[in-house]
Amino acid sequence: MTNEPWWRGAVIYQIYPRSFMDANNDGIGDLKGIINKLPYIKSLGVDAVWISPFFKSPMKDFGYDISDYRQIDPMFGDMQDFDDLIAKAKTIDLKIIIDQVLSHTSDQHPWFIQSREDQTNDKSDWYVWAEANEFGGPPNNWLSIFGGSAWQWEPRRKQYYLHNFLTSQPDLNFHNEQVREAVLNNVEFWLQRGVDGFRLDAINFCFHDKQLRNNPAKAEEDRKGRGFSEDNPYAYQYHNFDNTQPENLNFVEDIRTLMDRYPNVVTLGEISSEDSLKAMADYTKGDKRLHMAYSFELLTPDGSANYIKQTAETLEENLTGGWPCWAVGNHDVSRVASRWTEGKNIQAKSKLYNALLTSLRGSACTYQGEELGLQESDIAFENLQDPYGISFWPTFKGRDGCRTPMPWSKNILNAGFSENPKPWLPVDSSHREYAVEIQEHQPNSVLTAYKTFLHWRKEQFALRFGNIDFKESDNQKLIFTRAYQEQTIMVIVNFSDEMLTMKVSDAHINLLEGHGFELPRLKSNSDKIELKPFQIAYLDISS
């Protein structure tokens, strides 16, 4: 038995609502579509659903530019649909986590519309405004993640405003106490409607350096970005002053104080900084900050055993009581089935990555379609929607390739996503072979393996809550143990396309079954086991 909170060791299924299921056939997914598919989500064995933004928005960044934090955008439905979603999820014991985009708003938010009018109105200090430099240019060298200067001239005020993302996403001034209070009031609005938690978008971007100091230059060999294109000039700087400021930790504690008034809710922070693993530790330290955090450290092209081990070990060294959350994919990066497989052994590797992700210490976010082994889609330029991809084409095609509609059925219009002849993004024809209705009836499919493993994992407390200890590993294999109370499990992962023979003591050869993976072969009259290529094994080594 365990008294751990529900979110520790939870598997959280991320839904990108535009692309999940379209119930009203306008070509865009919606809340009713999610409601219709809740039984499917429950069948996966996940514990919670994280829904990307569905708030009122001009959709310049597809919902991450919010014009009203307390309204549902009509394209996704209305407040009754949301209330129905919460109620239906509770009846099947699924938690609902929603995005909160706190660091910036849309330029169509009433706060910004008022703030930009002049330098004396009631909202004049609600955003980050600054004077031009002596040459009329931006006040410093800060850059936008989406390319170019992070400053945009506003002729009404004759000042620049800060935007870490699109020019249509002005940054709020969190040094203003009124801003912090208003933001927290918006968060509480959704707590009162019954949500089980929040994924906090770019939470380390809320505060900026009040002195507006220039970021230092980064040497060419160090320009390795996290979550953005390598040819993006954003990688040319150390972002010491435009995000992850010390004051932000105080605001995080204010969020936690609010959350603690509502039992059994959770905060999951997205962290992208110069040292994301250290920031994750800082932002989850003790019991006064975020419950969990995740970073872009496993959303990179490197999915090797050595890199995964190094990343997880580095985080463990930094953590002081915090709880991690891992992700190998989301709506901002190319799909892991393309990023880590090099186009080879995709089905076997997809099964392996799904199991490995949920075997590391921490909770896990799994992105819609990963349970199917979906690969990145190649979107023609004329069909691109993502402003990021349009700006950086052709060297970087943006994020549309991981956002194409879910394939539910093979042989019907739009693979069952929508009856509209022209959905917001085209359905990838190659995804039809991976459709849910096909894989559900295939005993060896990625979907079947995903379901089998997650349901088995629910009974393995060591995998859900245990400490982690990495053993001898190399780029061919990864070995670690998870220990909780009376149970200790050894996990052996064969990353190679060759047989892996391992020597283990007699006491270790107690293979766990029921997880859906073929058991390794025990070599007769020896203390060795053999793992096939891309196989994972679980050994009970409890004393």
Side-chain angles (χ1 to χ4, degrees):
M1 297 297 294
T2 176
N3 292 319
E4 300 285 353
W6 70 264
W7 48 268
R8 277 187 177 259
V11 178
I12 303 165
Y13 185 84
Q14 182 196 353
I15 289 177
Y16 193 70
R18 296 179 72 93
S19 300
F20 192 63
M21 183 65 195
D22 176 19
N24 65 357
N25 296 315
D26 64 353
I28 299 171
D30 45 46
L31 294 179
K32 285 185 177 178
I34 297 174
I35 294 172
N36 293 343
K37 293 300 182 181
L38 282 179
Y40 165 78
I41 299 167
K42 179 65 177 179
S43 76
L44 297 176
V46 302
D47 304 286
V49 176
W50 150 30
I51 307 174
S52 290
F54 47 79
F55 314 104
K56 189 175 181 182
S57 166
M59 299 295 164
K60 298 291 182 61
D61 193 21
F62 302 105
Y64 284 90
D65 51 324
I66 298 172
S67 57
D68 191 330
Y69 284 86
R70 303 190 185 195
Q71 293 293 325
I72 309 291
D73 194 279
M75 74 168 54
F76 296 120
D78 56 30
M79 195 62 75
Q80 185 60 56
D81 294 328
F82 180 79
D83 291 341
D84 290 346
L85 172 64
I86 293 290
K88 180 65 180 293
K90 290 187 184 303
T91 66
I92 57 174
D93 194 26
L94 268 180
K95 307 294 185 182
I96 298 294
I97 296 171
I98 66 173
D99 248 307
Q100 289 288 274
V101 186
L102 306 185
S103 71
H104 57 269
T105 72
S106 164
D107 61 358
Q108 296 183 33
H109 194 291
W111 294 348
F112 186 75
I113 291 173
Q114 181 177 349
S115 185
R116 72 184 179 188
E117 284 303 315
D118 54 55
Q119 299 184 29
T120 60
N121 67 78
D122 291 342
K123 298 289 190 296
S124 63
D125 193 37
W126 278 46
Y127 292 81
V128 184
W129 297 99
E131 301 293 337
N133 65 27
E134 60 181 317
F135 302 105
N140 62 24
N141 69 352
W142 296 354
L143 296 173
S144 162
I145 288 177
F146 290 151
S149 173
W151 297 95
Q152 177 68 24
W153 180 254
E154 172 48 62
R156 296 171 183 83
R157 286 184 57 132
K158 297 181 174 58
Q159 286 182 311
Y160 283 93
Y161 67 84
L162 177 67
H163 60 93
N164 277 297
F165 300 93
L166 296 176
T167 57
S168 57
Q169 294 169 298
D171 276 71
L172 286 162
N173 176 21
F174 277 80
H175 292 285
N176 185 324
E177 183 178 356
Q178 291 179 310
V179 169
R180 300 195 299 272
E181 181 179 351
V183 165
L184 290 174
N185 286 340
N186 285 334
V187 172
E188 187 166 21
F189 173 84
W190 295 102
L191 288 170
Q192 292 172 345
R193 296 205 84 90
V195 300
D196 299 294
F198 303 105
R199 181 263 190 182
L200 301 171
D201 181 70
I203 188 59
N204 57 307
F205 277 74
C206 291
F207 277 84
H208 66 284
D209 175 50
K210 289 186 77 171
Q211 300 178 52
L212 302 183
R213 286 172 285 187
N214 283 325
N215 284 326
K218 184 180 288 187
E220 185 173 356
E221 60 271 19
D222 295 328
R223 295 172 186 171
K224 298 177 182 179
R226 287 288 184 267
F228 49 85
S229 170
E230 292 184 0
D231 60 355
N232 189 336
Y234 193 79
Y236 285 43
Q237 298 179 352
Y238 288 103
H239 293 274
N240 295 350
F241 299 114
D242 47 355
N243 62 62
T244 326
Q245 299 304 293
E247 300 95 327
N248 211 52
L249 292 174
N250 293 328
F251 177 62
V252 164
E253 292 179 359
D254 291 341
I255 295 175
R256 181 59 179 267
T257 298
L258 169 62
M259 301 295 288
D260 285 346
R261 289 164 40 197
Y262 293 82
N264 300 318
V265 295
V266 69
T267 48
L268 168 60
E270 178 199 33
I271 306 291
S272 178
S273 68
E274 290 298 337
D275 190 344
S276 292
L277 295 177
K278 181 181 183 303
M280 283 175 67
D282 289 342
Y283 277 63
T284 58
K285 184 178 180 180
D287 58 359
K288 294 184 178 180
R289 295 177 182 172
L290 302 181
H291 298 88
M292 300 187 290
Y294 83 91
S295 71
F296 284 76
E297 300 305 315
L298 294 185
L299 302 176
T300 63
D302 190 348
S304 65
N306 280 342
Y307 178 75
I308 293 172
K309 175 178 181 288
Q310 175 190 349
T311 301
E313 279 192 317
T314 301
L315 179 61
E316 291 294 329
E317 291 169 1
N318 282 293
L319 283 176
T320 53
W323 188 254
C325 186
W326 297 105
V328 296
N330 67 13
H331 63 289
D332 281 332
V333 296
S334 62
R335 287 195 173 273
V336 67
S338 297
R339 205 172 67 246
W340 283 4
T341 66
E342 298 177 339
K344 302 175 183 177
N345 302 295
I346 294 171
Q347 186 176 40
K349 290 180 180 179
S350 294
K351 295 177 184 179
L352 182 71
Y353 298 145
N354 286 333
L356 174 58
L357 172 67
T358 51
S359 295
L360 295 173
R361 177 181 178 265
S363 303
C365 286
T366 175
Y367 179 52
Q368 65 183 48
E370 286 176 5
E371 78 273 24
L372 305 176
L374 294 186
Q375 302 169 59
E376 184 79 354
S377 298
D378 188 13
I379 308 296
F381 179 78
E382 59 269 21
N383 291 325
L384 282 184
Q385 301 290 327
D386 182 15
Y388 196 4
I390 293 170
S391 295
F392 282 88
W393 177 276
T395 58
F396 174 64
K397 298 181 179 180
R399 301 164 295 179
D400 289 330
C402 67
R403 297 176 175 182
T404 54
M406 273 282 286
W408 298 100
S409 303
K410 178 182 178 180
N411 294 319
I412 63 177
L413 181 67
N414 295 317
F417 163 71
S418 174
E419 295 180 12
N420 190 293
K422 190 174 177 59
W424 82 283
L425 277 176
V427 173
D428 189 325
S429 59
S430 69
H431 285 180
R432 291 180 177 273
E433 298 297 330
Y434 297 85
V436 171
E437 72 167 8
I438 293 178
Q439 294 203 39
E440 282 183 326
H441 302 291
Q442 294 177 334
N444 295 319
S445 70
V446 177
L447 177 59
T448 299
Y450 184 97
K451 288 182 177 183
T452 302
F453 183 80
L454 289 192
H455 284 285
W456 172 81
R457 177 183 177 273
K458 286 183 181 293
E459 304 303 319
Q460 312 304 320
F461 287 177
L463 292 183
R464 291 168 60 193
F465 312 121
N467 295 326
I468 192 167
D469 182 18
F470 285 91
K471 307 299 182 181
E472 179 184 356
S473 300
D474 53 40
N475 257 352
Q476 183 182 22
K477 62 183 180 294
L478 180 64
I479 307 167
F480 57 90
T481 59
R482 300 289 309 279
Y484 182 80
Q485 295 180 354
E486 305 297 322
Q487 186 183 43
T488 301
I489 295 177
M490 175 178 284
V491 183
I492 305 172
V493 189
N494 183 4
F495 275 77
S496 76
D497 57 3
E498 300 177 353
M499 296 289 292
L500 171 65
T501 302
M502 277 199 56
K503 182 176 181 179
V504 294
S505 70
D506 291 339
H508 289 175
I509 307 179
N510 183 9
L511 299 174
L512 292 171
E513 302 181 48
H515 43 64
F517 287 91
E518 183 179 352
L519 296 181
R521 177 171 172 260
L522 293 175
K523 299 197 75 172
S524 59
N525 301 319
S526 77
D527 55 359
K528 295 179 180 178
I529 62 174
E530 287 184 342
L531 275 72
K532 291 183 177 180
F534 315 113
Q535 189 174 2
I536 188 167
Y538 295 87
L539 287 69
D540 188 340
I541 61 171
S542 306
S543 56

